[in-house]
Amino acid sequence: MSCHKLLLSELKLWSSGGSSWISRLRCGGRGKAFSSSSQNVHISIVGGGPAGFYTAQNLIKARQDVEVDIYERLPVPFGLVRFGVAPDHPEVKNVINTFTQTAKHSRCNFYGNVNVGKDVSIEELQQAYHAVILSYGAEGNRSMGVPGEDLAGVYSAKDFVGWYNGQPTCQELSPDLSCETAVILGQGNVALDVARILLSPLDVLKKTDITQPALEALAESHVRRVLIVGRRGPMQIACTIKEIREMVNLPGTRPEMIAADYEGVTEALKDVPRPRKRLTELMLKTAMETPGEKEQERRNNASCSWGFRFFRSPVEVLADTNRNRTAGIRLAVNKLEGSGEAARAALTGEVEDVSCGLVISSIGYKSLPIDPSVPFDFRKAIVPNSMGRVQQAAGIYCSGWVKTGPTGVIATTMNNSFDTARSLVEDIDSGVLDISAGKPGSQSISTLLEKRGVKPVTFSDWEKIDNVEMKRGEASGKPREKILTVEEMLRVART
Amino acid sequence: MALVTALKRLAHVRFGHYSLRTATAASGSYRTVQRSLTIGTQPLRSDNKVTVHFFNRDGEKITVKGPPGDSLLDVVINEDLDFDGFGACEGTLACSTCHLVFDEEVYKKLGPITDEEMDMLDLAYGLTDTSRLGCQICLTKSLEGMEVRVPESVADIRQSKDGSS
Ligand SMILES: Cc1cc2nc3c(=O)[nH]c(=O)nc-3n(C[C@H](O)[C@H](O)[C@H](O)COP(=O)(O)OP(=O)(O)OC[C@H]3O[C@@H](n4cnc5c(N)ncnc54)[C@H](O)[C@@H]3O)c2cc1C
Ligand SMILES: NC(=O)c1ccc[n+]([C@@H]2O[C@H](COP(=O)([O-])OP(=O)(O)OC[C@H]3O[C@@H](n4cnc5c(N)ncnc54)[C@H](OP(=O)(O)O)[C@@H]3O)[C@@H](O)[C@H]2O)c1
Ligand code: FES
């Protein structure tokens, strides 16, 4: 017992990656031995993405009596860090080191392969825990709602990204890349990720953790031209500058812009904040300036091109003569009403057809309701909340994309997760959240799951998957070769 | 069994540590070399160290020292400074969570800023004219006694305004 006390006081959960090994040494390998004390505050988290891990990290650090269980639908953790973040951005995935430390903390447990809402209900979690935190992300996507959306050759960015990143449910996609021109609708960072993956040299991609089937399909791809279409203008573009710079510098490609789109932009730049200003200047430079000799030569030798198309909204995906494949897209020509970030796109009545064999709709992800007992705002597609406290649902909290909607980088998700953790701790301190009655935590949920034939994947099970993936990757010069089916993940986890 | 877990844990955590080092090394391998030197010759070199005064998000002053060549992210980690979420990408210019704010005079001494650092900095909350990313700033003797502010994340403010998120 005294040993446990020592552990509790000495364990310090680190917020920066790679730094906690000294404090960890003190707890030896016995950390988990004292988990599940009935006096502890038991908290369950639904979803093992960045929001789940960052909320857990903050809670464990804030109170020594908090024990956190993370339930994740897939057998593998980390959400969009594994299945969203582009394979050629491995640095972004360094956050996994911090998540791993959280998962290995003595007061944190990971239960993968548990689909909350199906294998166990929110009400059951509420009975077993003092609080439930929803951080299940945004697994749906906004649809364009235009005719022809179901034609072959039209994909959502969510599925396309899931396909090249090894999301088990997207492996059947096998997108048809036999056409020359691809149109991406939406100009956020996801759109730019997709454009970059479509046009990146194979030599670059084959050293990443992109899946083997995707790599093979991209090797055969005929796509040479990618148009990234937005409904508003250059001053409203949603992506960030790093991603545009990557496109501008992408080997083997040249930018293909329309000078007229940038009319009046220089003048409008005077009063905008630095980030928007620098980003717009980079686009202006790319579109308008005569390149130097070396850059001109690079562009001349490029076999692929990419470009932004502004002031255009999708009207209809056009079919080929057999009426079963995508042959083009009809775009409405817009004009802007108002100015700055808040400007709105208004129809001019004009339309324009663009020939293309591939349409990827990247107009945003969307959260879905998880359980009828949890309030859901269908208009905003979020769980309605104030500072992470779910409205009219005592003891339920939310963090991450399900709380804010599907925007923001990992750092944004981190901050809003810390905020939710803070709200919860405040509620414990003020007595709003009642922790006086003991709760069984994972004990009772494990019994329930066992009865239902659901076998959770623990974090050390995940490490087996992780090791196998890294080993397979090594063989082909990649950081990892992802396992592509839930069945195989489970098989490896149980070896 | 306990031993195995302990070893695994150690192995992992060391890996985490290692990857951090390699990551920072990418922007100046000199620093890694410097570190292994300082480990061996700690007492001799301690007077060479640079003093840094951090002000955390609560405005508290924390004074620490670090060897020249270390980045401010290295200092935060080596000194166990507890700034929530600091250094998420481990010094690889992919996150902006190491955002720091300097005094005008100190800012001028920090050396040139690359486009890539600016690009990430542009995503930082509460960007100021004297903001930099801590993982890109290396300690030098001329920075002795500098004051560094860890800025507030504005997420809170924005959230309480619209109430719903
Ligand atoms: C394509 C793409 C690329 C991105 N690239 C970057 C980038 O380079 N840099 C950056 O900073 N940000 C990037 N982002 C943003 C970043 O991924 C998000 O900010 C972050 O992942 C949101 O975290 P989350 O935990 O809310 O959601 P998610 O990451 O989606 O995690 C939610 C988790 O909940 C699980 N879950 C869902 N339903 C259930 C259920 N019923 N029961 C149990 N578990 C469930 C899911 O399986 C998932 O693991 C990218 C986003 C996308 C879409
Ligand atoms: N490298 C990275 O850091 C990285 C990579 C990927 C994703 N992320 C982050 O993840 C978040 C999600 O990215 P995202 O690209 O999915 O979303 P996003 O940044 O919100 O972009 C969505 C795009 O779709 C457009 N759009 C929305 N509804 C539309 C409609 N009905 N018709 C036509 N166009 C429509 C938007 O245009 P309007 O502007 O006109 O609404 C915008 O161009 C972002 O915050 C992003 O920064 C980051
Ligand atoms: S630590 Fe990520 S940018 Fe500095």
Side-chain angles (χ1 to χ4, degrees):
Chain A
M1 186 59 204
S2 65
C3 168
H4 290 174
K5 270 198 192 130
L6 180 84
L7 291 176
L8 282 172
S9 61
E10 295 227 320
L11 259 177
K12 183 172 169 194
L13 189 77
W14 252 87
S15 42
S16 323
S19 53
S20 72
W21 65 285
I22 301 174
S23 11
R24 284 203 159 270
L25 283 179
R26 299 186 191 131
C27 75
R30 287 181 289 162
K32 301 269 181 195
F34 70 88
S35 60
S36 245
S37 144
S38 58
Q39 285 101 334
N40 278 350
V41 182
H42 290 275
I43 295 175
S44 59
I45 294 186
V46 180
F53 278 101
Y54 279 126
T55 315
Q57 173 184 327
N58 209 267
L59 286 172
I60 293 168
K61 194 177 133 196
R63 280 183 74 108
Q64 299 298 316
D65 60 350
V66 159
E67 237 181 79
V68 180
D69 293 328
I70 300 176
Y71 292 93
E72 163 59 49
R73 177 160 67 198
L74 286 165
V76 295
F78 312 138
L80 285 170
V81 176
R82 178 180 164 105
F83 295 118
V85 172
D88 59 343
H89 285 170
E91 330 75 54
V92 176
K93 304 187 194 198
N94 280 349
V95 292
I96 287 177
N97 295 331
T98 305
F99 299 161
T100 299
Q101 286 168 19
T102 302
K104 289 186 163 192
H105 191 278
S106 50
R107 288 181 282 116
C108 182
N109 283 295
F110 174 82
Y111 300 105
N113 193 38
V114 179
N115 187 346
V116 176
K118 188 165 157 271
D119 298 333
V120 57
S121 70
I122 297 287
E123 275 161 353
E124 286 163 342
L125 287 180
Q126 280 188 285
Q127 276 156 22
Y129 290 88
H130 293 105
V132 178
I133 302 172
L134 306 172
S135 54
Y136 62 88
E139 296 217 297
N141 62 276
R142 284 189 204 128
S143 65
M144 298 183 285
V146 301
E149 216 171 345
D150 305 326
L151 284 171
V154 183
Y155 307 96
S156 75
K158 184 181 86 70
D159 290 344
F160 191 80
V161 168
W163 169 70
Y164 66 64
N165 274 333
Q167 173 95 37
T169 50
C170 301
Q171 293 312 300
E172 302 283 291
L173 195 76
S174 311
D176 182 346
L177 306 176
S178 62
C179 62
E180 194 180 299
T181 300
V183 164
I184 303 177
L185 296 163
Q187 297 178 320
N189 280 337
V190 172
L192 268 74
D193 276 358
V194 169
R196 205 173 62 251
I197 295 297
L198 279 173
L199 295 179
S200 278
L202 232 28
D203 285 348
V204 172
L205 292 180
K206 72 181 187 204
K207 295 188 195 110
T208 72
D209 67 4
I210 191 168
T211 68
Q212 199 55 32
L215 195 59
E216 283 161 18
L218 287 164
E220 300 293 311
S221 167
H222 290 242
V223 176
R224 295 284 172 270
R225 180 167 177 254
V226 176
L227 300 177
I228 308 163
V229 177
R231 59 181 164 181
R232 301 189 289 159
M235 298 285 289
Q236 289 78 31
I237 198 164
C239 58
T240 50
I241 186 167
K242 180 181 178 224
E243 284 60 33
I244 297 189
R245 202 183 292 285
E246 280 178 302
M247 288 308 295
V248 172
N249 295 332
L250 193 66
T253 71
R254 70 171 165 272
E256 182 199 307
M257 307 286 207
I258 294 174
D261 284 346
Y262 298 87
E263 244 168 59
V265 167
T266 311
E267 298 71 54
L269 267 186
K270 274 184 218 103
D271 304 319
V272 302
R274 179 176 108 185
R276 171 65 70 195
K277 189 167 177 197
R278 290 185 67 245
L279 184 154
T280 314
E281 281 168 352
L282 177 61
M283 282 193 292
L284 274 174
K285 179 167 182 259
T286 310
M288 315 291 276
E289 276 183 23
T290 318
E293 203 178 313
K294 230 172 122 193
E295 172 63 9
Q296 190 59 60
E297 193 186 325
R298 190 188 79 91
R299 290 187 189 179
N300 291 345
N301 292 335
S303 56
C304 298
S305 71
W306 64 277
F308 292 124
R309 291 295 177 270
F310 293 103
F311 310 110
R312 299 287 185 275
S313 293
V315 175
E316 180 180 359
V317 183
L318 307 169
D320 63 3
T321 41
N322 298 328
R323 307 216 54 77
N324 53 18
R325 274 208 52 82
T326 300
I329 185 159
R330 179 157 300 157
L331 299 169
V333 179
N334 299 332
K335 59 175 192 264
L336 277 193
E337 278 175 0
S339 64
E341 308 282 340
R344 284 170 41 90
L347 297 175
T348 59
E350 241 179 277
V351 295
E352 174 189 280
D353 291 353
V354 177
S355 311
C356 63
L358 179 62
V359 171
I360 297 178
S361 147
S362 181
I363 61 172
Y365 284 51
K366 190 169 118 187
S367 291
L368 306 170
I370 192 170
D371 191 303
S373 70
V374 180
F376 194 80
D377 180 335
F378 283 89
R379 199 178 54 82
K380 292 185 182 162
I382 58 169
V383 171
N385 69 91
S386 39
M387 299 294 281
R389 299 170 176 98
V390 176
Q391 283 162 15
Q392 275 135 24
I396 306 187
Y397 297 78
C398 60
S399 61
W401 275 13
V402 75
K403 168 189 180 184
T404 60
T407 58
V409 292
I410 295 168
T412 328
T413 298
M414 176 181 86
N415 283 323
N416 92 53
S417 302
F418 287 173
D419 287 346
T420 295
R422 233 170 276 140
S423 295
L424 197 156
V425 170
E426 261 171 46
D427 289 355
I428 297 178
D429 291 343
S430 67
V432 168
L433 183 67
D434 182 12
I435 56 162
S436 56
K439 292 275 188 174
S442 63
Q443 267 172 14
S444 69
I445 301 297
S446 312
T447 318
L448 268 183
L449 291 175
E450 203 177 316
K451 259 196 241 153
R452 292 170 190 168
V454 178
K455 256 194 171 173
V457 168
T458 64
F459 203 77
S460 56
D461 292 338
W462 144 248
E463 289 182 305
K464 292 185 205 160
I465 300 176
D466 191 28
N467 280 328
V468 166
E469 289 188 339
M470 288 196 291
K471 230 180 242 146
R472 289 185 191 173
E474 223 172 280
S476 47
K478 295 163 103 182
R480 79 171 59 238
E481 190 63 63
K482 288 181 187 168
I483 295 178
L484 301 179
T485 65
V486 168
E487 293 70 37
E488 194 184 354
M489 289 172 183
L490 292 178
R491 220 179 307 128
V492 173
R494 281 165 197 157
T495 46
Chain B
M1 181 60 199
L3 182 66
V4 175
T5 333
L7 284 176
K8 264 197 200 151
R9 196 176 283 231
L10 236 178
H12 162 76
V13 178
R14 273 191 188 285
F15 168 70
H17 196 244
Y18 172 76
S19 65
L20 174 67
R21 292 299 144 242
T22 38
T24 31
S27 48
S29 54
Y30 159 72
R31 273 185 260 150
T32 337
V33 179
Q34 181 78 28
R35 180 185 326 271
S36 37
L37 280 178
T38 42
I39 293 167
T41 53
Q42 205 68 284
L44 266 180
R45 294 201 150 242
S46 62
D47 50 333
N48 249 340
K49 284 191 174 178
V50 181
T51 306
V52 183
H53 308 286
F54 284 99
F55 289 86
N56 71 12
R57 294 187 181 108
D58 298 326
E60 263 170 64
K61 183 171 178 173
I62 306 160
T63 300
V64 292
K65 282 170 180 278
D70 265 20
S71 75
L72 284 174
L73 174 64
D74 291 337
V75 175
V76 168
I77 287 170
N78 294 339
E79 296 298 317
D80 263 18
L81 302 187
D82 187 11
F83 307 148
D84 268 342
F86 197 87
C89 79
E90 307 190 344
T92 56
L93 265 190
C95 76
S96 80
T97 60
C98 61
H99 176 200
L100 294 170
V101 178
F102 298 83
D103 290 340
E104 184 100 34
E105 300 82 75
V106 178
Y107 180 81
K108 285 185 197 143
K109 284 197 255 175
L110 295 178
I113 178 164
T114 61
D115 281 343
E116 288 70 24
E117 181 182 344
M118 277 284 227
D119 290 356
M120 273 335 285
L121 202 50
D122 277 354
L123 297 187
Y125 289 122
L127 181 66
T128 73
D129 288 340
T130 57
S131 290
R132 289 288 301 261
L133 292 177
C135 66
Q136 303 302 307
I137 306 291
C138 289
L139 291 184
T140 60
K141 261 323 217 182
S142 71
L143 296 173
E144 172 62 32
M146 73 168 147
E147 297 192 336
V148 182
R149 196 162 58 77
V150 185
E152 189 90 43
S153 78
V154 296
D156 323 21
I157 303 163
R158 205 175 43 191
Q159 273 166 13
S160 44
K161 240 196 270 167
D162 73 349
S164 65
S165 48

